[in-house]
Amino acid sequence: MKFLSFIVIIIILASSCAKSPLPKDSDAIDKSLYDSIFDISSKIYYWEHNLPTKKHFGLDKIQTPEEIIFKLREYSPNKVDKWSFAVKKDTWENLSAGISKDFGMGLRYLDNNDLRIAYVFPNSPADQSELKRGMKILEINAIKVENIDPNTIIKILVEDDNVELKIEGNNSSRTVILKKTTYTRTSILCSKIFKRESSKVGYVNIYSFIETTSAEIDSIFDFFKKANIDKLIIDLRYNGGGLLPATEDLANRLVCENSVNKVFYQTEYNDRYKYFGFKTFLRKVPGSLCLPEVSVIVSNNTASASEVFINSIKPYMKVNLIGTKTAGKLLGMHALDFKNYLMFPIAFKIYNAIGEHDNFQGTAPDIEVSDDVDSDWNEGEENIKIALNINGVKSFTKLDARPNRRRNNGLLIAGETSIFGAISLEMPQAGMQ
C-alpha cells in the first residue's frame, strides 16, 4: 500500500450509482489485505477517535473493499460522512481525464411529470443530436414520461446502450435515438458575454474541475480580458467538484494584485496527522480580471471543490450567491492504493484564509432562486437574469422564483455514466509519501 501522489477533496456518489458493483473474481482483493485496508484507512480517517477496535469493527463479515470504507461512515458524528468510498483505478483515471461513454446529458424535473434537459456536454451523443437545455422530454422508449418513475429513468440511462426520446422544443416535437459512444468531456458547458447597456458581463458555466479545466479557463478568461468585461457570472449549479489546482487557477484569474501570496485555503487533520495540515496561496498570473465582486450561481449539487472555491475567495472579493443552498462538503480525502482499487476515507476539513467553514450545513444563497430548466443558458433563464442585475446591489431580498414545487420537481438525473460527480486533486506537501 502507498499514498498516491495527490490529495482528493470530496467525491460525490451519483444517485445512479449509489452502490459500487461487486468486483469480478479477477479483480478481487484478497481478504488477507482487509486488515491493512482497515489499519491505514482508520488511522487517516478524520473521525478516527470515534472508530471501534478492529476486533469490534466486524471485518470477518465484510465481503468487499467498498464495504470497509462505507462502514467507516457509520462512525462519523450524526453520520455526517456520506462520501468516503472506494473505486477501481481505471474508472478513476477515466473520470479524472473526462473520458466518458454515455449519452452526455443531464435531466431535471421542472415540475411534476415535466422532465427537461438540464445540460448537454459538447461533442456528446446528445450534442450531436442537437439537444439543448430546456427541451422537454415527452416520451422515453415510446413510454410517456408521466408513466415512468425517476428510478426507472435512471436505470435506463445507466444500463441501456441506446435510448429513444421524444423531444419538444421550439414549438415542435421530434424523436431522436441516442447511442452511447466514448467521448472526452469538457468542463465548460457554456461561456458568453452579455451586453447590458454600457457594460459587458462575462458568463461561464463550469460543470466540473477536471484535467482540462485550467486550459479551458485560460482560453475563456483571455477572451474576457480582451473584451474588457466589467462584471462576471460563474455558474456552478451542477458542479460537484473537481481538481483543486483548477479552482486555484480560476481564483487567480479573479483577484487583484494585493491578494497575491495570501492564503487561499487551509486544512485540518485528525490528532494523529495534524502535522499534515497545509495551506495554498493565491498567485500572480497574467490577465487577472481584478474584479471587485463576482456573482456565483449555486444549488444543492454545488459541492466539494466548487464550495472550496466559493468559500476561499470570500475574504478577497464580494461574492453574490444566487440559487439554492450548496451541499456542505468542505472535507477532503487521501487516496490509498490497494492493488487495483483506490480507497478514499475522509481525512481533513478545509477552511478559508480567515478560518471559516460551513460545518457541513452548506452555504445559503443571498438570493434564493430555483433552477429554471425551461430556459437555455440565456438572459431569460431566471438565475442568469437575476445575476445580470445583482452586481452592485448592497443588500439582498430573499426570493424564490418558483415557490409551488411538487413531488419530482428539482430532482436532477445525471445522464452521464459517472460513479461520482466530482474529482478533486491536489499535489501533496513535502513529507507526504
Side-chain angles (χ1 to χ4, degrees):
M1 194 286 304
K2 62 182 181 180
F3 280 131
L4 288 192
S5 60
F6 51 80
I7 298 170
V8 179
I9 308 296
I10 298 309
I11 298 178
I12 315 302
L13 294 176
S15 59
S16 58
C17 302
K19 293 184 178 180
S20 299
L22 293 176
K24 299 176 183 177
D25 290 343
S26 60
D27 294 332
I29 292 180
D30 192 286
K31 281 196 171 185
S32 63
L33 284 176
Y34 284 13
D35 279 359
S36 296
I37 293 173
F38 174 80
D39 287 341
I40 301 299
S41 299
S42 62
K43 285 181 172 62
I44 196 67
Y45 192 56
Y46 184 74
W47 296 285
E48 179 199 14
H49 59 281
N50 285 357
L51 294 176
T53 63
K54 187 190 305 182
K55 178 180 178 180
H56 293 96
F57 189 76
L59 282 176
D60 56 322
K61 298 179 182 178
I62 286 176
Q63 300 299 315
T64 67
E66 292 97 331
E67 289 182 36
I68 298 174
I69 303 302
F70 290 153
K71 191 166 182 179
L72 290 178
R73 301 178 183 181
E74 299 176 12
Y75 298 96
S76 61
N78 301 314
K79 296 186 179 180
V80 69
D81 179 9
K82 303 176 182 66
W83 316 294
S84 294
F85 77 106
V87 67
K88 290 182 181 178
K89 288 181 185 176
D90 57 351
T91 301
W92 170 264
E93 290 168 358
N94 285 338
L95 288 167
S96 300
I99 299 172
S100 300
K101 184 178 182 180
D102 49 54
F103 299 123
M105 63 180 179
L107 310 179
R108 193 181 187 96
Y109 283 96
L110 176 67
D111 211 334
N112 200 29
N113 299 324
D114 186 351
L115 185 61
R116 302 296 181 114
I117 295 175
Y119 55 85
V120 174
F121 289 109
N123 304 315
S124 69
D127 184 42
Q128 296 298 322
S129 294
E130 299 183 342
L131 301 186
K132 306 291 183 184
R133 170 180 164 86
M135 289 183 173
K136 185 176 182 178
I137 298 179
L138 304 176
E139 297 178 3
I140 299 176
N141 292 337
I143 302 173
K144 291 183 178 180
V145 164
E146 55 263 36
N147 296 327
I148 312 177
D149 67 89
N151 289 330
T152 300
I153 296 175
I154 291 170
K155 188 172 185 293
I156 290 170
L157 294 178
V158 172
E159 297 181 3
D160 292 3
D161 290 328
N162 300 279
V163 64
E164 180 182 298
L165 303 175
K166 186 175 182 181
I167 303 292
E168 181 181 85
N170 298 321
N171 300 315
S172 63
S173 63
R174 61 188 173 102
T175 298
V176 298
I177 297 176
L178 301 182
K179 181 179 180 180
K180 285 181 179 176
T181 58
T182 300
Y183 65 99
T184 300
R185 185 186 301 170
T186 59
S187 57
I188 307 297
L189 293 177
C190 177
S191 64
K192 60 178 64 178
I193 293 176
F194 294 106
K195 293 184 179 179
R196 306 285 290 180
E197 297 177 354
S198 60
S199 66
K200 297 177 183 177
V201 183
Y203 170 84
V204 58
N205 189 311
I206 308 175
Y207 178 81
S208 60
F209 297 107
I210 57 176
E211 291 176 0
T212 63
T213 305
S214 291
E216 292 178 59
I217 287 172
D218 283 343
S219 177
I220 290 167
F221 275 73
D222 284 346
F223 173 68
F224 287 163
K225 185 70 173 179
K226 287 181 180 179
N228 197 28
I229 66 168
D230 307 287
K231 301 173 183 177
L232 178 66
I233 301 168
I234 301 177
D235 197 333
L236 301 177
R237 76 182 79 186
Y238 299 139
N239 191 312
L243 309 178
L244 279 180
T247 70
E248 295 167 32
D249 291 340
L250 178 59
N252 291 330
R253 297 300 297 256
L254 298 182
V255 298
C256 298
E257 192 167 344
N258 60 2
S259 299
V260 171
N261 296 325
K262 293 185 179 179
V263 173
F264 183 51
Y265 67 83
Q266 52 191 327
T267 63
E268 175 189 83
Y269 289 73
N270 65 23
D271 288 342
R272 181 188 296 273
Y273 291 113
K274 59 185 177 182
Y275 55 85
F276 270 26
F278 65 94
K279 298 177 180 180
T280 62
F281 298 87
L282 294 164
R283 304 184 306 276
K284 182 177 181 178
V285 296
S288 173
L289 296 178
C290 187
L291 296 173
E293 64 181 307
V294 61
S295 290
V296 184
I297 298 173
V298 295
S299 74
N300 64 316
N301 299 296
T302 304
S304 187
S306 58
E307 289 182 287
V308 173
F309 166 75
I310 293 166
N311 192 47
S312 299
I313 62 170
K314 282 185 174 181
Y316 304 107
M317 62 174 51
K318 183 181 178 183
V319 180
N320 308 314
L321 288 186
I322 303 111
T324 55
K325 183 184 281 191
T326 65
K329 298 176 178 66
L330 291 173
L331 285 166
M333 302 165 173
H334 279 289
L336 310 179
D337 183 359
F338 287 90
K339 197 178 175 181
N340 61 327
Y341 271 84
L342 300 178
M343 313 295 169
F344 296 93
I346 293 292
F348 52 89
K349 289 175 72 174
I350 306 169
Y351 300 82
N352 65 15
I354 56 178
E356 292 176 334
H357 187 279
D358 68 3
N359 293 316
F360 320 120
Q361 300 301 307
T363 302
D366 298 300
I367 294 185
E368 191 171 77
V369 188
S370 300
D371 190 8
D372 183 15
V373 286
D374 58 352
S375 299
D376 203 353
W377 311 118
N378 55 45
E379 294 181 69
E381 198 278 329
E382 198 68 31
N383 289 266
I384 295 174
K385 181 168 63 176
I386 290 174
L388 285 169
N389 292 285
I390 196 175
N391 286 303
V393 177
K394 296 181 179 179
S395 61
F396 306 108
T397 301
K398 291 290 183 180
L399 171 67
D400 185 349
R402 295 183 179 275
N404 298 315
R405 293 304 198 174
R406 290 192 276 175
R407 180 174 59 87
N408 287 331
N409 191 40
L411 174 65
L412 179 68
I413 299 175
E416 70 278 6
T417 51
S418 296
I419 288 181
F420 32 79
I423 309 167
S424 304
L425 310 180
E426 174 62 81
M427 298 305 294
Q429 301 300 293
M432 290 183 173
Q433 300 177 358

